[in-house]
Amino acid sequence: MRAFTASLTGTSLEWYDFAVYSAASALIFGDLFFPSDDPLTGTLLAFSTYAVGYVSRPLGGFVFGRLGDVIGRKRVLVATLVLVGAATFLIGCLPTHAVAGPIAPALLVLLRFAQGVGVGGEWGGAVLLTSEFGNARQRGFWASAAQVGPPAGNLMANGALAALGALLTEEQFLSYGWRIAFLLSGVLVAFGLWIRTSLEETPVFKGMEASGERPEAPIREVFATQRRPLAAAILCRVAPDVVYAMFTVFVLTYATQELDMARGEALTAVLIGSGLQIFLIPLAGALSDRWNRRRLYLGAALAAGVWPFLFFPLVDTRSWPLLAFGVIVALAIHSVMYGPQAAFVAEQFTPRLRYTGSSLAYTLAGVIGGAVAPLIFTALLGEFGVWLPLAGYLLVAAAATVAGVLLGRDPDLDEDAEYSKLVDTPTTTPDSAPGAGQDTVRATAVGSPQLRKETP
């Protein structure tokens, strides 16, 4: 449970940092950093910096994913938390375009890039932190701890902005109020570090380290031996990323600029949906342990392709209850995909390449999914002025995820033979005296039965 708490807390704090930027991009950064006579153009430019956080993720996946399989999960997770927190805190200190001119958006892009690098290295380690400590029969539930981070972080970020918007006048909020939400990151990161540094390294990595099975070139090995798992893991993530971008980020722009609804109404709808996700995501992860994980994922992906065609006619009525209902249903569908996703992605890769493979899949999928989604949504709305192309884009994303789920392996049918061989190898700790006997190695891997070697 300590590993679950550490993974959930750290990931939530990192996603608070990431989400507070996303919400600010939709609501205020267009005016503050990208002033334009056309509000939609300013928002489009703000979303381009939002995309930078996704484009930079593969760099984090390459660098930190490799390190996670070489030096361990815990050290990498501490480093990513510090990187994201520092970048977010500094965003709160930036001058705006009115003060510094073009240098202001340039610095904003640089710090957003650093955020993306940190988040890119975070996800794979957060998943393994819980799943490698937990019971293999409950790997869907344990791995879902990292998945609760985005809605929890989104809830905190939108809640902070909504509270500041309610307490301050519009002029005060645009002048300094928005900065408070970013500066809070310093306090939150200190709390996250306190939790993460108290954990031990995972049993799986300890077993790999003791047996000498750590990979020397994990990135090369993933691309050489894990091409189908990598493709499946990338594609299965596309729809969840696009759906999340629509119903937590772009929906704020659509409701306020297209439907002329109040900013507080749009934020409240997202807050309610995100709050429910905190419970729905681990529930979906637990259900995937009892039912077939692929079928559950597949059904949710199909629903994700259909729901937008019902959502937009509902919200075009400009009714807040219908907006809230539409967002809640969309994020519930997202939860059913997102809850089992961590276990499903990790199960595609062999244990010794699991951090690298999972991180690469997560970050590369983010580039083709979440990174460009708000930009595409904004461009489609500006070009056509109607919602049908937006729904069509979501349908294409759902089709990509259906293909990925079908391409992936079913962990219920495929045993992790490589890890079984690894933990069956007798090992001794470096400081054991000769003849002192073998140390107990206990390890649990996602996608493999719980295996142990007892001291004779």
Side-chain angles (χ1 to χ4, degrees), residues 287-299:
L287 289 176
S288 76
D289 291 325
R290 299 178 65 88
W291 301 338
N292 184 279
R293 206 180 319 281
R294 291 176 72 206
R295 291 176 185 173
L296 187 67
Y297 207 140
L298 186 62

Side-chain angles (χ1 to χ4, degrees), residues 122-217:
E122 159 76 15
W123 187 80
V127 168
L128 298 185
L129 186 66
T130 51
S131 62
E132 292 183 347
F133 273 111
N135 189 324
R137 296 178 182 177
Q138 300 172 335
R139 55 188 176 267
F141 170 74
W142 290 110
S144 71
Q147 305 298 82
V148 180
N154 192 58
L155 182 65
M156 292 190 294
N158 283 279
L161 290 172
L164 290 167
L167 293 172
L168 304 173
T169 66
E170 185 76 9
E171 183 179 351
Q172 289 172 328
F173 182 76
L174 292 175
S175 174
Y176 65 86
W178 65 272
R179 298 181 184 275
I180 298 174
F182 286 85
L183 297 176
L184 279 173
S185 176
V187 178
L188 297 175
V189 166
F191 176 69
L193 287 174
W194 173 66
I195 293 178
R196 281 197 171 172
T197 53
S198 65
L199 277 181
E200 295 182 358
E201 186 55 79
T202 71
V204 170
F205 184 79
K206 285 182 178 180
M208 290 165 52
E209 192 173 37
S211 62
E213 288 292 327
R214 288 182 297 175
E216 294 183 1

Side-chain angles (χ1 to χ4, degrees), residues 332-346:
I333 293 170
H334 175 268
S335 298
V336 180
M337 290 187 288
Y338 207 60
Q341 183 189 93
F344 182 80
V345 168

Side-chain angles (χ1 to χ4, degrees), residues 428 431-437:
T428 346
D431 49 3
S432 295

